[in-house]
């Protein structure tokens, strides 16, 4: 069994900061890419940021310069530091991890989502 659990999120005023974390646990051989997605009401889920096991990062244009993704491989955890938040960042944020429970058998796992609300 593998669990992916997010924490953090909440309500913040525009211009403020929030941090999210996501920890994977269970039978894990290796975690490859990890990432954060978000889904606003009546919109499709979109990639916010991703990070490879080696630390190479990728950001959506809408968050570049404001959000920072990082990870701790020893703790099977990925983080998202969100600064200069805008009302349009309001969404449910989901953690995603490509996990090999056994060598060469990767599978995508998702967290349950955490709400981020930015008030204007």
């Amino acid at each position: 069994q593998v669990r992916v659990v997010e924490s953090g999120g909440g309500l913040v005023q525009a211009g403020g900061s929030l941090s999210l974390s996501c920890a994977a646990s269970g039978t894990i051989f290796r975690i490859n890419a990890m990432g954060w997605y978000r889904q606003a009401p009546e919109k499709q889920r979109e990639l916010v940021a991703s990070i490879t096991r080696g630390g190479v990062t990728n950001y959506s244009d809408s968050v570049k310069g404001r959000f920072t993704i990082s990870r701790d491989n020893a703790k099977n955890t990925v983080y998202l530091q969100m600064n200069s938040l805008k009302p349009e960042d309001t969404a449910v944020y989901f953690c995603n991890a490509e996990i090999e429970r056994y060598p060469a058998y990767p599978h995508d796992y998702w967290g349950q989502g955490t709400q981020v609300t930015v008030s204007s």
Side-chain angles (χ1 to χ4, degrees), residues 9-12 16-20 80-83 85 116-118:
L11 173 65
V12 66
S17 298
L18 282 174
S19 62
L20 306 180
L80 186 68
Q81 177 64 41
M82 304 182 291
N83 298 328
L85 282 160
V116 171
T117 303
V118 184

Side-chain angles (χ1 to χ4, degrees), residues 2-8 20-25 34 36 76-78 93-97 99 109-114:
V2 171
R3 293 186 68 208
V4 176
V5 179
E6 300 109 337
S7 60
L20 306 180
S21 62
C22 169
S25 62
M34 303 183 83
W36 290 95
N76 291 336
T77 300
V78 63
Y93 283 69
F94 296 91
C95 174
N96 171 268
I99 297 174
Y109 290 86
W110 292 88
Q112 79 285 357
T114 185

